[in-house]
Each structure stands twice: as structure tokens, then as C-alpha cells.
Amino acid sequence: HRKWCPECLNNMKSESEIVYEPLIWYIAGIDKCDIHKIKLHNKCPYCQKQSSHLLNNFIVGHCPYCNNWLGNCNEQRAKDCLTHKEKFIMDNFKELIMNAPFQDSFPTRNSSGVVLKKIKEELGFEHFSNLAYFLEIKKRKLYSWSKGKVIPQPDQLINIADKTNKSIYYLFCNEEIELN
């Protein structure tokens, strides 16, 4: 479902900017606005309906059901700093989105296996079981990823990036990786 920051929408409108809904708002796991530090909304404040990303009567910043402006939300918005994990997720996806247009190739089904082998070697682990313990992932799951049988989910990639203190982009888009 669509998510939005009413304050961002209102700022765009009041400053006569082009109103748009940033791609980052649509990513699962992104639940707060990194600018205003408030929870993203996903229900129209008027009709209380959630809307899908793809609708034939889509007007940016408006509810597709009642056509009201989604920036009008009179409720008190609790401002809350992003946690380390929320900031890490946000930064990773922003980096991926920002760099996507400049990529000549994109990761394939086997890319996670290549990356895991690089991580294992760089950190000096002899076996994948040691890497699985370090990453706090079940050995069987890590083995499936390393063989390209299963692709890690985004939250699992975030966990790997966080444990290695590198971004997903860094891990997948560099020939050589350096880890401490």
C-alpha cells in the first residue's frame, strides 16, 4: 500500500514545488520520514482507506477514493528519532536507489553466493558454519543462499550489511571488499 509523509506533501505544495511521492516511501521496512521523523501514513485521514500503488485514477498526493489532499492531517504527530536500524535501512535503500541508474549490470540469483564467499574469506572464516554463526543465520539457509538456490530477502541483506558494517551497495557492487 501507499505510504506518505503529510508534512513532506504539505511542504512541497506550500513551496510550489512539484508534488511527488518519493520511491523510498514505498519500500517495505521504511515506516518513518527521515526528514520530519514521523511515522508514514498509509490510510486516508478522511475515508480511512488504504490505496494501492497502481490505480488508474492516481493523483499524486491525493486519495484515489475520496480525492482529498493527503497532506491534511490534523492529528498530533509524534516526532521520534530514527533508530540505528531504521537509519541503516533508510541509508541502504537511498544508496541503492541513487546508484541504480549508473549500474551497467545488476545482481543475479548467484550474486549473494559470490558476496557471501567474499565475506567469508575477508573475515577469515574457514567454513560457512562459522559465517552463519557470526551473521546469526541458520547454516542451512546460508548454504542455500551461497549455492544460489534461494535469494536472501531484503531484511536478511540488511542484517548481513549491518553485521559487516558495510552497505548492501558496497557488498554487491564492488569487485573487492574490505572488511574489519
Side-chain angles (χ1 to χ4, degrees), residues 69-85:
W69 175 245
L70 296 173
N72 293 341
C73 185
N74 297 326
E75 70 185 48
Q76 288 290 343
R77 298 177 193 110
K79 295 193 182 228
D80 191 15
C81 291
L82 297 175
T83 64
H84 165 76
K85 184 175 181 178

Side-chain angles (χ1 to χ4, degrees), residues 97-109:
I97 292 167
M98 185 176 66
N99 288 303
F102 309 108
Q103 295 302 304
D104 295 330
S105 63
F106 292 94
T108 64
R109 175 177 278 285

